[in-house]
Structures are given as structure tokens and as C-alpha cells.
Amino acid sequence: MKLKIYPDYAQMSDAAADAIIMVVKEKSNAVICLPTGNTPTLTYELLVRKSNDLGIDFSKVILIGLDEWLGISATTVGSCNHFFNEHLIKHLNFSRKNIYLFDGLTNDPEADCHKINLFIETAGGIDLMVVGIGMNGHIGFNEPGASFDEHAHVTRLHAITIEVGQKYFNTEVKLEKGITLGLRNLLESRNVIMLANGRAKAAIIRQTLEQETSTLLPSTIMQLHDNSALYIDEEAASLLTE
Ligand code: GLP
């Protein structure tokens, strides 16, 4: 795992946007899996700006959404679908048929998981997976205790995730379950980038890097991947001792 520490959030985001662009430039039909959340918003703003300036073509790129809140509609502000539409999809020339986002209102989440697993396999695997990190070390909705051996699946949300998750919504919502790519998907991706910024993430970043790999702290899975990189700013790095 590579560790890249940037002076601030803007420079971390700039590097992340460049990394995504590089993958798309190298492979026009790249399969990229992206996260939502506050962390990647500037990355996406820069990705959109740079891609439009450079004329990067996303028409063949396959976009996979990392996760979604179950029970929340795609049009609800705060849903991952809404986020992807607002921050990425409407600004870049993706083809609708190449976009796979989990449906929070699906009647059959298990079937959806099966579909996405098959879709990824048929597309030849994920070239680049970008993830954030939850305050409890979760990745996507792989909460503490999640198996490293699962593909897309439904999860019961951890109390911290439910509490923190309210920040994305305008009104109080009932958050109980999520649908997410699994940690096995992460291990099988050709490249993985984890993003974290700000002082609030410093403690969990320290644990991620300095604790032994354990399913109790899903983010430690980054240590097991040969082509993984952690992009963090100095604030998120501020508690590192080694
Ligand atoms: C959310 C999402 C994750 C996201 C993480 C961090 O609950 N399920 O995919 O990466 O928590 O979010 P933020 O970037 O807002 O801190």
C-alpha cells in the first residue's frame, strides 16, 4: 500500500481527479467504481472541470456506484444516486447503459447484488475502485466485522453510520440497511485508492495504517492489496506515529 500525504484537501482532491483521468486515458472502456460522501466532492468537481478542459471521453467508461442506502429513493437529496447524478453523471458524457448504481428502493436487493456481481465479471473486473472511509473504518457499507470474502451484498448499518449518515439528508430519515460492493470486490480491483481528509479522520487513519489487518476494522484491508494507495491530507495524517 502506498501512502500519499498532501498539504491540504484541495491538493489531495487534485491528485485523486488526476488518478481517475489517467485510468480513463489509458483505457477508454475502463471500469471505475466510485464512492459518495463529503470526501470526494472536490475530487469530482475537479474531475469534471479537467475532463471537460482536456476533452476526456467517458462514453465507454463503465461507472459502478459503491453503495446505496436501502429504503431511500434515487431522487432524495442525500441518496447516493442523487449524489452521483448531481456531481458526476450530468456533467460528463457517460452512456446511461454503462452506469450501474444500486437502487435503494429495489424489491429484491439480493437479485440486484447478483446482477452487479455478474456485470462486473462480464465487464472484466474493476480497473479502479475509489473509496472513502467511515468514522468506524467502514468501506462502502462494509461495517466492522464484514467478511473480506464477500462481493456485493446487503448490510445492517452500524450505529455510528446511522448517526453520521443523517448529515447527507435535509430531513430526518430512517437508515437501517445498506447495499454495497463487498470487500472481495475491493481485493479483486486492479487499483484501489482510499481518500480521507480532515482532523476528524485522523484517529481512524492512524488505526487503518498502524493496526494489524482485521475484519473488525474493514479499512485495514487496504494493507492487503498490492496496488492500493491512501491519499490523505496533512490533517488526516496528523496522528500517524510511524
Ligand atoms: C458513507 C458511505 C461511504 C463513504 C463514507 C465516508 O456512509 N457509505 O461510502 O465513503 O461514509 O463519508 P464522508 O466522505 O462523508 O466522510
Side-chain angles (χ1 to χ4, degrees):
M1 177 178 60
K2 283 194 202 115
L3 172 63
K4 300 195 178 189
I5 303 174
Y6 298 92
D8 54 28
Y9 176 57
Q11 290 181 64
M12 180 202 82
S13 305
D14 194 68
D18 285 347
I20 298 169
I21 288 175
M22 201 166 83
V23 169
V24 175
K25 269 172 125 176
E26 274 173 11
K27 188 176 173 186
S28 60
N29 62 345
V31 180
I32 53 174
C33 169
L34 298 177
T36 57
N38 291 341
T39 309
T41 52
L42 184 57
T43 297
Y44 297 158
E45 198 182 312
L46 295 169
L47 174 67
V48 167
R49 202 183 306 156
K50 285 170 188 250
S51 299
N52 288 334
D53 287 353
L54 297 168
I56 306 287
D57 179 19
F58 282 79
S59 64
K60 294 195 194 102
V61 172
I62 295 174
L63 172 67
I64 313 255
L66 177 63
D67 54 10
E68 183 56 286
W69 309 93
L70 270 183
I72 307 289
S73 79
T75 51
T76 303
V77 178
S79 70
C80 300
N81 273 264
H82 185 268
F83 179 98
F84 281 122
N85 280 319
E86 290 305 309
H87 292 269
L88 280 178
I89 295 168
K90 71 180 188 189
H91 305 290
L92 296 170
N93 69 328
F94 285 107
S95 301
R96 282 275 153 191
K97 64 175 175 31
N98 293 337
I99 298 175
Y100 196 104
L101 306 180
F102 288 116
D103 174 8
L105 293 185
T106 176
N107 291 323
D108 193 347
E110 308 298 339
D112 275 25
C113 290
H114 183 67
K115 219 156 72 181
I116 182 82
N117 288 331
L118 210 66
F119 185 72
I120 292 170
E121 205 183 306
T122 313
I126 297 173
D127 292 297
L128 172 66
M129 184 169 187
V130 181
V131 299
I133 177 171
M135 294 301 288
N136 59 358
H138 76 204
I139 293 178
F141 283 131
N142 293 276
E143 301 283 23
S147 162
F148 286 2
D149 208 27
E150 259 191 301
H151 287 111
H153 62 286
V154 174
T155 64
R156 188 160 288 281
L157 300 175
H158 192 271
I160 294 178
T161 306
I162 292 173
E163 194 191 318
V164 175
Q166 295 294 338
K167 72 178 175 180
Y168 306 116
F169 299 94
N170 296 333
T171 53
E172 205 171 309
V173 284
K174 187 165 177 273
L175 303 174
E176 199 179 1
K177 287 181 177 178
I179 184 165
T180 184
L181 286 198
L183 296 173
R184 181 80 185 268
N185 294 109
L186 183 146
L187 287 177
E188 290 174 355
S189 297
R190 288 182 193 94
N191 297 283
V192 184
I193 295 175
M194 175 179 274
L195 303 175
N197 69 285
R199 205 159 290 275
K201 294 277 172 77
I204 197 68
I205 285 301
R206 178 181 172 177
Q207 292 174 51
T208 299
L209 287 165
E210 297 183 12
Q211 272 188 21
E212 268 182 40
T213 306
S214 161
T215 54
L216 295 178
L217 192 61
S219 53
T220 56
I221 199 171
M222 292 292 287
Q223 299 175 23
L224 296 178
H225 197 294
D226 288 340
N227 288 318
S228 66
L230 194 50
Y231 287 20
I232 59 178
D233 68 354
E234 270 174 13
E235 287 191 2
S238 59
L239 294 178
L240 294 179
T241 58
E242 290 168 17

